[in-house]
PDB file of all heavy atoms in Angstrom:
ATOM      1  N   SER R 289       5.033   7.751  -6.057  1.00 92.00           N
ATOM      2  CA  SER R 289       5.603   9.073  -6.402  1.00 92.00           C
ATOM      3  C   SER R 289       4.994   9.462  -7.777  1.00 92.00           C
ATOM      4  O   SER R 289       4.842   8.693  -8.636  1.00 92.00           O
ATOM      5  CB  SER R 289       7.041   9.162  -6.387  1.00 92.00           C
ATOM      6  OG  SER R 289       7.606   8.743  -5.153  1.00 92.00           O
ATOM      7  N   GLU R 306       7.829  13.736  -6.636  1.00 97.00           N
ATOM      8  CA  GLU R 306       9.146  13.239  -6.221  1.00 97.00           C
ATOM      9  C   GLU R 306       9.942  14.599  -5.677  1.00 97.00           C
ATOM     10  O   GLU R 306       9.721  15.654  -6.153  1.00 97.00           O
ATOM     11  CB  GLU R 306       9.869  12.789  -7.496  1.00 97.00           C
ATOM     12  CG  GLU R 306       9.476  11.452  -7.962  1.00 97.00           C
ATOM     13  CD  GLU R 306      10.154  10.929  -9.090  1.00 97.00           C
ATOM     14  OE1 GLU R 306      10.947  11.692  -9.774  1.00 97.00           O
ATOM     15  OE2 GLU R 306      10.042   9.712  -9.408  1.00 97.00           O
ATOM     16  N   ARG R 307      10.846  14.251  -4.881  1.00 98.00           N
ATOM     17  CA  ARG R 307      11.538  15.304  -4.294  1.00 98.00           C
ATOM     18  C   ARG R 307      12.671  16.042  -5.156  1.00 98.00           C
ATOM     19  O   ARG R 307      13.380  15.286  -5.906  1.00 98.00           O
ATOM     20  CB  ARG R 307      12.299  14.900  -3.018  1.00 98.00           C
ATOM     21  CG  ARG R 307      11.448  14.405  -1.864  1.00 98.00           C
ATOM     22  CD  ARG R 307      12.065  14.393  -0.548  1.00 98.00           C
ATOM     23  NE  ARG R 307      13.488  13.997  -0.639  1.00 98.00           N
ATOM     24  CZ  ARG R 307      14.388  14.088   0.321  1.00 98.00           C
ATOM     25  NH1 ARG R 307      13.944  14.590   1.503  1.00 98.00           N
ATOM     26  NH2 ARG R 307      15.538  13.659   0.211  1.00 98.00           N
ATOM     27  N   VAL R 314      21.644  12.053  -4.922  1.00 98.00           N
ATOM     28  CA  VAL R 314      22.055  10.693  -5.369  1.00 98.00           C
ATOM     29  C   VAL R 314      23.213  10.729  -6.395  1.00 98.00           C
ATOM     30  O   VAL R 314      23.741   9.673  -6.793  1.00 98.00           O
ATOM     31  CB  VAL R 314      20.842   9.966  -6.097  1.00 98.00           C
ATOM     32  CG1 VAL R 314      19.739   9.826  -5.077  1.00 98.00           C
ATOM     33  CG2 VAL R 314      20.382  10.704  -7.381  1.00 98.00           C
ATOM     34  N   TYR R 320      27.825  18.827   1.978  1.00 98.00           N
ATOM     35  CA  TYR R 320      27.621  18.829   3.391  1.00 98.00           C
ATOM     36  C   TYR R 320      28.879  19.633   4.052  1.00 98.00           C
ATOM     37  O   TYR R 320      29.719  19.986   3.250  1.00 98.00           O
ATOM     38  CB  TYR R 320      27.654  17.417   3.945  1.00 98.00           C
ATOM     39  CG  TYR R 320      26.453  16.642   3.443  1.00 98.00           C
ATOM     40  CD1 TYR R 320      26.642  15.758   2.266  1.00 98.00           C
ATOM     41  CD2 TYR R 320      25.360  16.519   4.211  1.00 98.00           C
ATOM     42  CE1 TYR R 320      25.607  15.095   1.799  1.00 98.00           C
ATOM     43  CE2 TYR R 320      24.246  15.736   3.739  1.00 98.00           C
ATOM     44  CZ  TYR R 320      24.332  15.009   2.603  1.00 98.00           C
ATOM     45  OH  TYR R 320      23.372  14.248   2.102  1.00 98.00           O
ATOM     46  N   ASP R 322      31.355  19.043   5.895  1.00 98.00           N
ATOM     47  CA  ASP R 322      32.657  18.539   5.783  1.00 98.00           C
ATOM     48  C   ASP R 322      33.328  18.489   4.376  1.00 98.00           C
ATOM     49  O   ASP R 322      34.465  18.231   4.061  1.00 98.00           O
ATOM     50  CB  ASP R 322      32.833  17.116   6.438  1.00 98.00           C
ATOM     51  CG  ASP R 322      34.231  16.634   6.613  1.00 98.00           C
ATOM     52  OD1 ASP R 322      35.121  17.441   7.108  1.00 98.00           O
ATOM     53  OD2 ASP R 322      34.635  15.459   6.187  1.00 98.00           O
ATOM     54  N   ASP R 323      32.396  18.680   3.385  1.00 98.00           N
ATOM     55  CA  ASP R 323      32.766  18.750   2.004  1.00 98.00           C
ATOM     56  C   ASP R 323      33.456  20.110   1.663  1.00 98.00           C
ATOM     57  O   ASP R 323      34.126  20.216   0.556  1.00 98.00           O
ATOM     58  CB  ASP R 323      31.595  18.577   1.063  1.00 98.00           C
ATOM     59  CG  ASP R 323      30.880  17.250   1.251  1.00 98.00           C
ATOM     60  OD1 ASP R 323      31.533  16.338   1.817  1.00 98.00           O
ATOM     61  OD2 ASP R 323      29.750  17.043   0.619  1.00 98.00           O
ATOM     62  N   TYR R 418      44.850  14.909  10.437  1.00 97.00           N
ATOM     63  CA  TYR R 418      45.566  13.852  11.196  1.00 97.00           C
ATOM     64  C   TYR R 418      46.504  14.354  12.247  1.00 97.00           C
ATOM     65  O   TYR R 418      46.642  13.924  13.335  1.00 97.00           O
ATOM     66  CB  TYR R 418      46.389  12.997  10.169  1.00 97.00           C
ATOM     67  CG  TYR R 418      45.523  12.001   9.300  1.00 97.00           C
ATOM     68  CD1 TYR R 418      44.419  12.536   8.577  1.00 97.00           C
ATOM     69  CD2 TYR R 418      45.777  10.719   9.280  1.00 97.00           C
ATOM     70  CE1 TYR R 418      43.591  11.767   7.814  1.00 97.00           C
ATOM     71  CE2 TYR R 418      45.021   9.914   8.471  1.00 97.00           C
ATOM     72  CZ  TYR R 418      43.879  10.331   7.739  1.00 97.00           C
ATOM     73  OH  TYR R 418      43.219   9.496   6.969  1.00 97.00           O
ATOM     74  N   ASP R 422      46.828  13.824  16.247  1.00 98.00           N
ATOM     75  CA  ASP R 422      48.148  13.493  16.855  1.00 98.00           C
ATOM     76  C   ASP R 422      48.418  14.464  18.051  1.00 98.00           C
ATOM     77  O   ASP R 422      48.830  13.908  19.094  1.00 98.00           O
ATOM     78  CB  ASP R 422      49.218  13.641  15.856  1.00 98.00           C
ATOM     79  CG  ASP R 422      49.259  12.520  14.822  1.00 98.00           C
ATOM     80  OD1 ASP R 422      48.569  11.517  15.126  1.00 98.00           O
ATOM     81  OD2 ASP R 422      49.924  12.631  13.854  1.00 98.00           O
ATOM     82  N   PRO R 493      21.236  10.271  19.605  1.00 97.00           N
ATOM     83  CA  PRO R 493      20.586  10.548  18.413  1.00 97.00           C
ATOM     84  C   PRO R 493      21.171   9.816  17.105  1.00 97.00           C
ATOM     85  O   PRO R 493      20.385   9.303  16.381  1.00 97.00           O
ATOM     86  CB  PRO R 493      20.713  11.957  18.195  1.00 97.00           C
ATOM     87  CG  PRO R 493      20.846  12.551  19.658  1.00 97.00           C
ATOM     88  CD  PRO R 493      21.701  11.457  20.249  1.00 97.00           C
ATOM     89  N   ARG R 580      32.807   9.887  14.966  1.00 97.00           N
ATOM     90  CA  ARG R 580      31.582   9.138  15.519  1.00 97.00           C
ATOM     91  C   ARG R 580      31.747   9.031  17.009  1.00 97.00           C
ATOM     92  O   ARG R 580      30.733   9.185  17.721  1.00 97.00           O
ATOM     93  CB  ARG R 580      31.414   7.757  14.836  1.00 97.00           C
ATOM     94  CG  ARG R 580      30.112   7.019  15.316  1.00 97.00           C
ATOM     95  CD  ARG R 580      28.824   7.786  15.105  1.00 97.00           C
ATOM     96  NE  ARG R 580      28.527   8.147  13.813  1.00 97.00           N
ATOM     97  CZ  ARG R 580      27.499   8.913  13.391  1.00 97.00           C
ATOM     98  NH1 ARG R 580      26.556   9.193  14.330  1.00 97.00           N
ATOM     99  NH2 ARG R 580      27.250   9.237  12.096  1.00 97.00           N
ATOM    100  N   GLY R 972       7.202   8.760   4.292  1.00 98.00           N
ATOM    101  CA  GLY R 972       8.597   8.520   4.634  1.00 98.00           C
ATOM    102  C   GLY R 972       8.946   8.962   6.027  1.00 98.00           C
ATOM    103  O   GLY R 972       9.718   8.336   6.683  1.00 98.00           O
ATOM    104  N   GLY R 976      10.435   6.494   9.019  1.00 98.00           N
ATOM    105  CA  GLY R 976      11.682   6.763   9.748  1.00 98.00           C
ATOM    106  C   GLY R 976      11.420   6.925  11.189  1.00 98.00           C
ATOM    107  O   GLY R 976      12.255   6.507  12.040  1.00 98.00           O
ATOM    108  N   GLN R 980      13.006   4.639  14.377  1.00 98.00           N
ATOM    109  CA  GLN R 980      13.682   5.026  15.663  1.00 98.00           C
ATOM    110  C   GLN R 980      12.837   4.612  16.869  1.00 98.00           C
ATOM    111  O   GLN R 980      13.535   4.367  17.888  1.00 98.00           O
ATOM    112  CB  GLN R 980      13.788   6.587  15.545  1.00 98.00           C
ATOM    113  CG  GLN R 980      14.848   7.047  14.543  1.00 98.00           C
ATOM    114  CD  GLN R 980      15.188   8.503  14.544  1.00 98.00           C
ATOM    115  OE1 GLN R 980      14.863   9.247  15.384  1.00 98.00           O
ATOM    116  NE2 GLN R 980      15.981   8.882  13.633  1.00 98.00           N
ATOM    117  N   GLU R 988      18.071   0.239  21.349  1.00 98.00           N
ATOM    118  CA  GLU R 988      18.979   1.376  21.678  1.00 98.00           C
ATOM    119  C   GLU R 988      19.088   1.768  23.136  1.00 98.00           C
ATOM    120  O   GLU R 988      18.009   1.523  23.832  1.00 98.00           O
ATOM    121  CB  GLU R 988      18.548   2.609  20.886  1.00 98.00           C
ATOM    122  CG  GLU R 988      18.661   2.466  19.370  1.00 98.00           C
ATOM    123  CD  GLU R 988      18.289   3.671  18.622  1.00 98.00           C
ATOM    124  OE1 GLU R 988      18.744   4.785  19.086  1.00 98.00           O
ATOM    125  OE2 GLU R 988      17.631   3.643  17.643  1.00 98.00           O
ATOM    126  N   PRO R1009      19.366   0.354  14.644  1.00 98.00           N
ATOM    127  CA  PRO R1009      18.813  -0.739  13.981  1.00 98.00           C
ATOM    128  C   PRO R1009      19.266  -0.760  12.441  1.00 98.00           C
ATOM    129  O   PRO R1009      19.513   0.251  11.776  1.00 98.00           O
ATOM    130  CB  PRO R1009      17.313  -0.468  13.957  1.00 98.00           C
ATOM    131  CG  PRO R1009      17.082   0.445  15.134  1.00 98.00           C
ATOM    132  CD  PRO R1009      18.420   1.233  15.346  1.00 98.00           C
ATOM    133  N   ALA R1011      18.760  -2.749   8.448  1.00 98.00           N
ATOM    134  CA  ALA R1011      17.686  -3.061   7.571  1.00 98.00           C
ATOM    135  C   ALA R1011      16.866  -4.230   8.010  1.00 98.00           C
ATOM    136  O   ALA R1011      15.517  -4.151   7.922  1.00 98.00           O
ATOM    137  CB  ALA R1011      18.112  -3.125   6.209  1.00 98.00           C
ATOM    138  N   ILE R1014      14.170  -3.856  11.040  1.00 98.00           N
ATOM    139  CA  ILE R1014      12.935  -3.078  10.988  1.00 98.00           C
ATOM    140  C   ILE R1014      11.975  -3.782  10.045  1.00 98.00           C
ATOM    141  O   ILE R1014      12.291  -4.028   8.860  1.00 98.00           O
ATOM    142  CB  ILE R1014      13.223  -1.697  10.578  1.00 98.00           C
ATOM    143  CG1 ILE R1014      14.247  -0.958  11.521  1.00 98.00           C
ATOM    144  CG2 ILE R1014      11.969  -0.779  10.444  1.00 98.00           C
ATOM    145  CD1 ILE R1014      13.742  -0.715  12.907  1.00 98.00           C
ATOM    146  N   ASP R1016       8.572  -4.367   7.526  1.00 97.00           N
ATOM    147  CA  ASP R1016       7.804  -3.535   6.569  1.00 97.00           C
ATOM    148  C   ASP R1016       6.658  -2.918   7.390  1.00 97.00           C
ATOM    149  O   ASP R1016       6.013  -3.720   8.221  1.00 97.00           O
ATOM    150  CB  ASP R1016       7.301  -4.280   5.450  1.00 97.00           C
ATOM    151  CG  ASP R1016       8.375  -4.331   4.336  1.00 97.00           C
ATOM    152  OD1 ASP R1016       9.260  -3.460   4.202  1.00 97.00           O
ATOM    153  OD2 ASP R1016       8.296  -5.354   3.531  1.00 97.00           O
ATOM    154  N   MET R1017       6.352  -1.768   7.172  1.00 98.00           N
ATOM    155  CA  MET R1017       5.196  -1.129   7.880  1.00 98.00           C
ATOM    156  C   MET R1017       4.032  -0.821   7.037  1.00 98.00           C
ATOM    157  O   MET R1017       4.206  -0.519   5.785  1.00 98.00           O
ATOM    158  CB  MET R1017       5.624   0.259   8.481  1.00 98.00           C
ATOM    159  CG  MET R1017       6.807   0.139   9.434  1.00 98.00           C
ATOM    160  SD  MET R1017       7.715   1.742   9.523  1.00 98.00           S
ATOM    161  CE  MET R1017       9.396   1.260   9.286  1.00 98.00           C
TER     162      MET R1017
ATOM    163  N   ARG M 111      49.249   6.090   6.642  1.00 97.00           N
ATOM    164  CA  ARG M 111      48.016   6.020   7.430  1.00 97.00           C
ATOM    165  C   ARG M 111      46.781   6.606   6.781  1.00 97.00           C
ATOM    166  O   ARG M 111      45.625   6.559   7.376  1.00 97.00           O
ATOM    167  CB  ARG M 111      48.306   6.579   8.844  1.00 97.00           C
ATOM    168  CG  ARG M 111      48.498   8.032   8.786  1.00 97.00           C
ATOM    169  CD  ARG M 111      48.679   8.648  10.127  1.00 97.00           C
ATOM    170  NE  ARG M 111      49.052  10.106  10.201  1.00 97.00           N
ATOM    171  CZ  ARG M 111      49.147  10.759  11.285  1.00 97.00           C
ATOM    172  NH1 ARG M 111      48.789  10.220  12.371  1.00 97.00           N
ATOM    173  NH2 ARG M 111      49.517  12.062  11.161  1.00 97.00           N
ATOM    174  N   LEU M 113      43.602   7.271   5.084  1.00 97.00           N
ATOM    175  CA  LEU M 113      42.436   6.328   4.754  1.00 97.00           C
ATOM    176  C   LEU M 113      42.066   6.703   3.353  1.00 97.00           C
ATOM    177  O   LEU M 113      42.078   7.854   2.837  1.00 97.00           O
ATOM    178  CB  LEU M 113      41.254   6.612   5.769  1.00 97.00           C
ATOM    179  CG  LEU M 113      41.555   6.330   7.221  1.00 97.00           C
ATOM    180  CD1 LEU M 113      40.401   6.826   8.110  1.00 97.00           C
ATOM    181  CD2 LEU M 113      41.848   4.816   7.368  1.00 97.00           C
ATOM    182  N   HIS M 116      39.669   9.564   2.989  1.00 97.00           N
ATOM    183  CA  HIS M 116      40.218  10.864   2.966  1.00 97.00           C
ATOM    184  C   HIS M 116      40.922  11.237   1.781  1.00 97.00           C
ATOM    185  O   HIS M 116      40.961  12.425   1.350  1.00 97.00           O
ATOM    186  CB  HIS M 116      41.018  11.016   4.243  1.00 97.00           C
ATOM    187  CG  HIS M 116      40.264  11.012   5.563  1.00 97.00           C
ATOM    188  ND1 HIS M 116      40.676  10.425   6.727  1.00 97.00           N
ATOM    189  CD2 HIS M 116      39.047  11.541   5.785  1.00 97.00           C
ATOM    190  CE1 HIS M 116      39.672  10.670   7.685  1.00 97.00           C
ATOM    191  NE2 HIS M 116      38.753  11.298   7.102  1.00 97.00           N
ATOM    192  N   ARG M 119      38.275  12.081  -0.750  1.00 98.00           N
ATOM    193  CA  ARG M 119      37.492  13.309  -0.489  1.00 98.00           C
ATOM    194  C   ARG M 119      38.410  14.584  -0.378  1.00 98.00           C
ATOM    195  O   ARG M 119      38.206  15.577  -0.982  1.00 98.00           O
ATOM    196  CB  ARG M 119      36.838  13.132   0.852  1.00 98.00           C
ATOM    197  CG  ARG M 119      35.565  12.290   0.905  1.00 98.00           C
ATOM    198  CD  ARG M 119      34.988  12.147   2.397  1.00 98.00           C
ATOM    199  NE  ARG M 119      34.807  13.384   3.028  1.00 98.00           N
ATOM    200  CZ  ARG M 119      33.839  14.230   2.821  1.00 98.00           C
ATOM    201  NH1 ARG M 119      32.811  13.805   2.015  1.00 98.00           N
ATOM    202  NH2 ARG M 119      33.792  15.385   3.299  1.00 98.00           N
ATOM    203  N   GLY M 130      30.908   8.398   7.990  1.00 97.00           N
ATOM    204  CA  GLY M 130      29.818   8.377   9.071  1.00 97.00           C
ATOM    205  C   GLY M 130      30.331   7.870  10.410  1.00 97.00           C
ATOM    206  O   GLY M 130      29.886   8.220  11.467  1.00 97.00           O
ATOM    207  N   GLN M 179      19.875   5.030  -8.878  1.00 98.00           N
ATOM    208  CA  GLN M 179      19.639   6.421  -8.608  1.00 98.00           C
ATOM    209  C   GLN M 179      18.181   6.707  -9.013  1.00 98.00           C
ATOM    210  O   GLN M 179      17.512   7.420  -8.116  1.00 98.00           O
ATOM    211  CB  GLN M 179      20.607   7.375  -9.459  1.00 98.00           C
ATOM    212  CG  GLN M 179      22.022   7.205  -9.042  1.00 98.00           C
ATOM    213  CD  GLN M 179      22.966   7.870  -9.946  1.00 98.00           C
ATOM    214  OE1 GLN M 179      22.927   7.649 -11.079  1.00 98.00           O
ATOM    215  NE2 GLN M 179      23.790   8.868  -9.392  1.00 98.00           N
ATOM    216  N   GLN M 183      15.218   7.744  -6.052  1.00 97.00           N
ATOM    217  CA  GLN M 183      14.452   8.947  -6.156  1.00 97.00           C
ATOM    218  C   GLN M 183      12.872   8.577  -6.256  1.00 97.00           C
ATOM    219  O   GLN M 183      12.023   9.113  -5.656  1.00 97.00           O
ATOM    220  CB  GLN M 183      14.725   9.704  -7.417  1.00 97.00           C
ATOM    221  CG  GLN M 183      13.614  10.739  -7.729  1.00 97.00           C
ATOM    222  CD  GLN M 183      14.189  12.136  -8.100  1.00 97.00           C
ATOM    223  OE1 GLN M 183      15.298  12.326  -8.501  1.00 97.00           O
ATOM    224  NE2 GLN M 183      13.344  13.191  -7.780  1.00 97.00           N
ATOM    225  N   ALA M 184      12.630   7.556  -7.157  1.00 97.00           N
ATOM    226  CA  ALA M 184      11.192   7.181  -7.351  1.00 97.00           C
ATOM    227  C   ALA M 184      10.562   6.627  -6.124  1.00 97.00           C
ATOM    228  O   ALA M 184       9.401   6.821  -5.859  1.00 97.00           O
ATOM    229  CB  ALA M 184      11.124   6.148  -8.438  1.00 97.00           C
ATOM    230  N   GLN M 189      16.228  10.477   2.571  1.00 98.00           N
ATOM    231  CA  GLN M 189      15.683  11.768   3.209  1.00 98.00           C
ATOM    232  C   GLN M 189      16.892  12.791   3.317  1.00 98.00           C
ATOM    233  O   GLN M 189      16.987  13.656   2.446  1.00 98.00           O
ATOM    234  CB  GLN M 189      14.922  11.504   4.510  1.00 98.00           C
ATOM    235  CG  GLN M 189      13.637  10.822   4.279  1.00 98.00           C
ATOM    236  CD  GLN M 189      12.823  10.432   5.448  1.00 98.00           C
ATOM    237  OE1 GLN M 189      13.031  11.024   6.466  1.00 98.00           O
ATOM    238  NE2 GLN M 189      11.906   9.378   5.353  1.00 98.00           N
ATOM    239  N   CYS M 190      17.745  12.682   4.383  1.00 98.00           N
ATOM    240  CA  CYS M 190      18.835  13.594   4.411  1.00 98.00           C
ATOM    241  C   CYS M 190      19.963  13.312   3.399  1.00 98.00           C
ATOM    242  O   CYS M 190      20.706  14.082   3.080  1.00 98.00           O
ATOM    243  CB  CYS M 190      19.448  13.599   5.792  1.00 98.00           C
ATOM    244  SG  CYS M 190      20.608  12.288   6.130  1.00 98.00           S
ATOM    245  N   GLY M 191      19.974  12.053   2.885  1.00 98.00           N
ATOM    246  CA  GLY M 191      20.919  11.738   1.796  1.00 98.00           C
ATOM    247  C   GLY M 191      22.249  11.412   2.208  1.00 98.00           C
ATOM    248  O   GLY M 191      23.140  11.067   1.260  1.00 98.00           O
ATOM    249  N   TYR M 192      22.601  11.488   3.406  1.00 98.00           N
ATOM    250  CA  TYR M 192      23.956  11.256   3.934  1.00 98.00           C
ATOM    251  C   TYR M 192      24.444   9.829   3.659  1.00 98.00           C
ATOM    252  O   TYR M 192      25.595   9.576   3.198  1.00 98.00           O
ATOM    253  CB  TYR M 192      24.158  11.725   5.366  1.00 98.00           C
ATOM    254  CG  TYR M 192      25.608  11.969   5.691  1.00 98.00           C
ATOM    255  CD1 TYR M 192      26.219  13.163   5.386  1.00 98.00           C
ATOM    256  CD2 TYR M 192      26.249  11.036   6.365  1.00 98.00           C
ATOM    257  CE1 TYR M 192      27.557  13.402   5.661  1.00 98.00           C
ATOM    258  CE2 TYR M 192      27.629  11.188   6.775  1.00 98.00           C
ATOM    259  CZ  TYR M 192      28.251  12.401   6.339  1.00 98.00           C
ATOM    260  OH  TYR M 192      29.589  12.664   6.622  1.00 98.00           O
ATOM    261  N   MET M 198      23.781   3.240  -2.079  1.00 98.00           N
ATOM    262  CA  MET M 198      23.694   2.850  -3.538  1.00 98.00           C
ATOM    263  C   MET M 198      24.848   2.038  -3.985  1.00 98.00           C
ATOM    264  O   MET M 198      24.614   1.001  -4.829  1.00 98.00           O
ATOM    265  CB  MET M 198      23.498   4.131  -4.331  1.00 98.00           C
ATOM    266  CG  MET M 198      22.220   4.945  -4.051  1.00 98.00           C
ATOM    267  SD  MET M 198      21.905   6.254  -5.366  1.00 98.00           S
ATOM    268  CE  MET M 198      23.358   7.178  -5.157  1.00 98.00           C
ATOM    269  N   ARG M 213      12.966  -9.301  -0.701  1.00 97.00           N
ATOM    270  CA  ARG M 213      13.042  -8.140   0.183  1.00 97.00           C
ATOM    271  C   ARG M 213      13.992  -8.561   1.408  1.00 97.00           C
ATOM    272  O   ARG M 213      14.798  -7.831   1.880  1.00 97.00           O
ATOM    273  CB  ARG M 213      11.717  -7.767   0.772  1.00 97.00           C
ATOM    274  CG  ARG M 213      10.849  -7.169  -0.383  1.00 97.00           C
ATOM    275  CD  ARG M 213       9.480  -6.680   0.130  1.00 97.00           C
ATOM    276  NE  ARG M 213       9.428  -5.581   1.016  1.00 97.00           N
ATOM    277  CZ  ARG M 213       9.601  -4.268   0.542  1.00 97.00           C
ATOM    278  NH1 ARG M 213       9.608  -4.157  -0.666  1.00 97.00           N
ATOM    279  NH2 ARG M 213       9.675  -3.258   1.430  1.00 97.00           N
ATOM    280  N   ARG M 217      17.409  -6.797   2.588  1.00 98.00           N
ATOM    281  CA  ARG M 217      17.575  -6.252   3.978  1.00 98.00           C
ATOM    282  C   ARG M 217      18.881  -6.886   4.508  1.00 98.00           C
ATOM    283  O   ARG M 217      19.715  -6.135   5.190  1.00 98.00           O
ATOM    284  CB  ARG M 217      16.397  -6.639   4.864  1.00 98.00           C
ATOM    285  CG  ARG M 217      15.151  -5.755   4.546  1.00 98.00           C
ATOM    286  CD  ARG M 217      13.978  -6.090   5.648  1.00 98.00           C
ATOM    287  NE  ARG M 217      12.815  -5.234   5.370  1.00 98.00           N
ATOM    288  CZ  ARG M 217      12.633  -4.042   5.750  1.00 98.00           C
ATOM    289  NH1 ARG M 217      13.635  -3.458   6.488  1.00 98.00           N
ATOM    290  NH2 ARG M 217      11.536  -3.378   5.514  1.00 98.00           N
ATOM    291  N   ARG M 226      19.391   6.419   9.053  1.00 98.00           N
ATOM    292  CA  ARG M 226      18.579   6.784  10.275  1.00 98.00           C
ATOM    293  C   ARG M 226      17.259   7.533   9.961  1.00 98.00           C
ATOM    294  O   ARG M 226      16.417   7.840  10.857  1.00 98.00           O
ATOM    295  CB  ARG M 226      19.479   7.772  11.120  1.00 98.00           C
ATOM    296  CG  ARG M 226      19.130   7.981  12.515  1.00 98.00           C
ATOM    297  CD  ARG M 226      19.141   6.795  13.432  1.00 98.00           C
ATOM    298  NE  ARG M 226      19.142   7.092  14.748  1.00 98.00           N
ATOM    299  CZ  ARG M 226      18.860   6.271  15.734  1.00 98.00           C
ATOM    300  NH1 ARG M 226      18.472   4.968  15.535  1.00 98.00           N
ATOM    301  NH2 ARG M 226      18.871   6.697  17.035  1.00 98.00           N
ATOM    302  N   CYS M 227      17.113   7.796   8.668  1.00 98.00           N
ATOM    303  CA  CYS M 227      15.923   8.629   8.301  1.00 98.00           C
ATOM    304  C   CYS M 227      14.778   7.748   7.701  1.00 98.00           C
ATOM    305  O   CYS M 227      13.645   8.055   8.067  1.00 98.00           O
ATOM    306  CB  CYS M 227      16.308   9.551   7.138  1.00 98.00           C
ATOM    307  SG  CYS M 227      17.445  10.899   7.523  1.00 98.00           S
ATOM    308  N   TYR M 230      14.305   2.275   6.240  1.00 98.00           N
ATOM    309  CA  TYR M 230      14.690   1.232   5.347  1.00 98.00           C
ATOM    310  C   TYR M 230      13.653   0.821   4.408  1.00 98.00           C
ATOM    311  O   TYR M 230      14.067   0.279   3.201  1.00 98.00           O
ATOM    312  CB  TYR M 230      15.237  -0.031   6.062  1.00 98.00           C
ATOM    313  CG  TYR M 230      16.446   0.366   6.984  1.00 98.00           C
ATOM    314  CD1 TYR M 230      16.454   0.277   8.379  1.00 98.00           C
ATOM    315  CD2 TYR M 230      17.701   0.512   6.412  1.00 98.00           C
ATOM    316  CE1 TYR M 230      17.409   0.524   9.187  1.00 98.00           C
ATOM    317  CE2 TYR M 230      18.846   0.797   7.160  1.00 98.00           C
ATOM    318  CZ  TYR M 230      18.702   0.825   8.580  1.00 98.00           C
ATOM    319  OH  TYR M 230      19.820   1.069   9.357  1.00 98.00           O
ATOM    320  N   GLN M 231      12.462   0.851   4.586  1.00 98.00           N
ATOM    321  CA  GLN M 231      11.343   0.246   3.742  1.00 98.00           C
ATOM    322  C   GLN M 231      11.510   0.751   2.331  1.00 98.00           C
ATOM    323  O   GLN M 231      11.462   0.050   1.406  1.00 98.00           O
ATOM    324  CB  GLN M 231      10.017   0.572   4.379  1.00 98.00           C
ATOM    325  CG  GLN M 231       8.881  -0.056   3.677  1.00 98.00           C
ATOM    326  CD  GLN M 231       7.608  -0.164   4.583  1.00 98.00           C
ATOM    327  OE1 GLN M 231       7.750  -0.233   5.769  1.00 98.00           O
ATOM    328  NE2 GLN M 231       6.459  -0.191   3.995  1.00 98.00           N
ATOM    329  N   ARG M 272      15.202  12.076 -14.373  1.00 33.00           N
ATOM    330  CA  ARG M 272      14.300  12.994 -13.728  1.00 33.00           C
ATOM    331  C   ARG M 272      15.029  14.169 -13.113  1.00 33.00           C
ATOM    332  O   ARG M 272      15.394  14.209 -11.910  1.00 33.00           O
ATOM    333  CB  ARG M 272      13.431  12.321 -12.729  1.00 33.00           C
ATOM    334  CG  ARG M 272      12.217  11.557 -13.310  1.00 33.00           C
ATOM    335  CD  ARG M 272      11.480  10.757 -12.241  1.00 33.00           C
ATOM    336  NE  ARG M 272      12.217   9.504 -11.933  1.00 33.00           N
ATOM    337  CZ  ARG M 272      11.814   8.448 -12.541  1.00 33.00           C
ATOM    338  NH1 ARG M 272      10.851   8.385 -13.343  1.00 33.00           N
ATOM    339  NH2 ARG M 272      12.457   7.266 -12.326  1.00 33.00           N
TER     340      ARG M 272
END
Side-chain angles (χ1 to χ4, degrees):
Chain R
S289 301
E306 290 183 346
R307 297 198 322 170
V314 299
Y320 297 90
D322 191 47
D323 296 349
Y418 286 52
D422 284 345
R580 181 57 58 181
Q980 288 190 4
E988 300 183 38
I1014 302 297
D1016 275 336
M1017 306 158 222
Chain M
R111 62 177 174 173
L113 298 172
H116 288 144
R119 288 175 48 81
Q179 293 171 305
Q183 166 134 29
Q189 291 181 23
C190 81
Y192 198 78
M198 292 191 303
R213 293 181 73 79
R217 286 185 181 278
R226 197 62 164 161
C227 291
Y230 298 106
Q231 187 158 329
R272 279 176 278 267

